[in-house]
Amino acid sequence: MTALSTIRAVFYPAVFIEHSTLLEAPAATVTLVALLLLTRAAKAGPIAPRVALVAGALLGVSAGVKIWGVVVMVAVLGWTSITYGARRGLLLLAGAGLGATIVCLPFFAAAPGSMWRMVVIDQLGRPRSRLGLGHRLTDMVGLTTLHAGSVAVAAAVAVAVAGCVLAVRSNQGRLAVVVLLASSALLLSTPPWFVHYAGLIAAPAAIMVGAATGNLIGAARSTGVRGLITALLMAGLAVVALPILSASFGRPFPAAAPIAKRATPLGGCVTTDDPTSLIQTDLLQRNFQHGCRLVVDLGGYSYDIHPGTPVPRSHNGPWQRFAIDYFRSGSAVIVMRFNRGFGFSAHSASVVQGWPVLLRTRHIVVRRPVRVYRGS
């Protein structure tokens, strides 16, 4: 477990997702526990039925947290059925169904049609990122902070392939490689791309590297060779880890009290383009108590307005109107994400910028929305 923790600590996508509230962090954690439960024995011996159930439940929770976990679950299901037999596979599937149900049932019961549309259909219609294969591979092999060139990335990919070949010699390594390959195929094919997406492979990558290193050291015939292998591994980890020490993640939130103080004297609700601001200022609970409207992911609504058809937000008229109307539903609005250069059209940006400023910081502006009254 110490080795796995060390590897995750120097894998930039894992460090990135664990410095924030991104969904990949809890999904990767429960996936890691599930993989370790299924491969506790060094050899592929029988596993207890309860182990298959618990591991399946964890994978179901992962898929409920982040829908991409379905791909991991299918890969593990196939490996479990082949390695431990169809009965263990069915138990894993039953556990996965239970875990996913616990997470998803409340939302599905409240709005089955909307949930299916937003979770599945809208995601399939997201626009494809302009970042190419090289950029994705750079993030996936953990070289983001090194600003590595194509040669270094190609070398890292080759090392990863060699690691997979070495890892399949052990039970833990085989499952990790299966999940890693399935997850990598998903990451290379998904339309959008952000560096935190690579956090999906953090768990299987950590196990794969650990298994490959263990198998390589175990095959060495002398203490000197084992020491050399260990030294090379530690040197490689150090090269990758050093830039992470000076890396910054996100940006600090300004003093919350002044923001809350300026936003609340007007009474009514406080709207925002990022709910993080409501959490940081302790205004979220206040909004709930006042029965205020809450849009959790304002940007995500742009995918739901034109499901299956990618339309840039700045050219998405219905989304522009939706965002402005939501802002106007409150007595104050905290703007920290969207502007003319990102998301808003020139017209929407000019409307928001025309509202009186209640407070301005480096990254946040609190404004008093001006409502438009239409004649009857």
Side-chain angles (χ1 to χ4, degrees):
M1 186 62 72
T2 301
L4 292 178
S5 301
T6 301
I7 294 168
R8 288 186 69 181
V10 300
F11 184 52
Y12 181 76
V15 177
F16 188 94
I17 63 176
E18 291 175 3
H19 272 77
S20 68
T21 55
L22 292 167
L23 297 176
E24 283 78 7
T29 299
V30 294
T31 298
L32 178 61
V33 176
L35 299 184
L36 293 177
L37 281 176
L38 291 170
T39 56
R40 289 182 298 173
K43 297 182 179 180
I47 58 172
R50 64 178 181 276
V51 172
L53 275 171
V54 172
L58 291 172
L59 293 173
V61 169
S62 176
V65 171
K66 184 86 173 180
I67 192 173
W68 289 354
V70 171
V71 173
V72 175
M73 185 176 65
V74 170
V76 176
L77 176 62
W79 179 88
T80 301
S81 300
I82 294 173
T83 304
Y84 297 129
R87 290 185 178 181
R88 294 297 185 269
L90 289 174
L91 286 172
L92 183 87
L93 183 60
L98 176 62
T101 299
I102 291 173
V103 176
C104 299
L105 183 58
F107 304 98
F108 184 79
S114 296
M115 181 180 179
W116 173 259
R117 188 184 70 251
M118 292 181 179
V119 174
V120 179
I121 303 300
D122 293 354
Q123 299 305 314
L124 295 176
R126 293 181 65 174
R128 187 162 190 84
S129 172
R130 296 179 180 179
L131 299 175
L133 177 64
H135 191 104
R136 296 191 183 208
L137 289 175
T138 299
D139 292 338
M140 290 170 64
V141 296
L143 298 183
T144 307
T145 54
L146 291 177
H147 305 290
S150 57
V151 175
V153 173
V157 172
V159 171
V161 172
C164 289
V165 173
L166 288 169
V168 294
R169 297 180 182 180
S170 66
N171 192 35
Q172 285 186 339
R174 279 191 290 274
L175 175 56
V177 170
V178 168
V179 175
L180 181 59
L181 292 178
S183 302
S184 297
L186 172 65
L187 292 178
L188 292 175
S189 61
T190 183
W193 182 258
F194 300 97
V195 64
H196 62 267
Y197 284 4
L200 178 68
I201 63 174
I207 297 176
M208 181 276 288
V209 173
T213 304
N215 293 337
L216 185 60
I217 292 176
R221 296 183 178 181
S222 66
T223 303
V225 174
R226 295 190 188 100
L228 178 61
I229 294 172
T230 302
L232 290 175
L233 175 65
M234 298 305 294
L237 293 177
V239 169
V240 176
L242 286 176
I244 297 179
L245 296 177
S246 58
S248 59
F249 301 91
R251 58 195 184 199
F253 195 85
I259 296 176
K261 184 177 180 180
R262 291 297 183 92
T264 53
L266 298 173
C269 301
V270 179
T271 57
T272 180
D273 58 359
D274 189 331
T276 301
S277 62
L278 298 179
I279 297 172
Q280 292 281 358
T281 54
D282 278 338
L283 293 176
L284 183 61
Q285 184 63 35
R286 176 188 176 278
N287 271 7
F288 285 149
Q289 292 172 347
H290 284 71
C292 299
R293 180 183 178 190
L294 174 64
V295 175
V296 176
D297 184 3
L298 183 60
Y301 269 78
S302 64
Y303 309 130
D304 191 55
I305 291 175
H306 292 284
T309 304
V311 177
R313 292 191 186 106
S314 58
H315 295 83
N316 190 331
W319 180 82
Q320 300 288 325
R321 292 188 291 273
F322 175 86
I324 298 300
D325 288 344
Y326 168 60
F327 282 179
R328 282 185 170 135
S329 69
S331 299
V333 57
I334 302 174
V335 183
M336 60 181 291
R337 182 182 179 190
F338 295 116
N339 52 51
R340 183 172 182 173
F342 181 76
F344 278 153
S345 64
H347 174 71
S348 296
S350 64
V351 169
V352 174
Q353 291 169 2
W355 296 340
V357 175
L358 302 176
L359 177 71
R360 185 186 297 274
T361 70
R362 183 177 179 183
H363 301 296
I364 292 177
V365 180
V366 182
R367 295 181 181 273
R368 178 171 59 82
V370 176
R371 292 179 174 83
V372 176
Y373 296 96
R374 300 177 176 85
S376 58

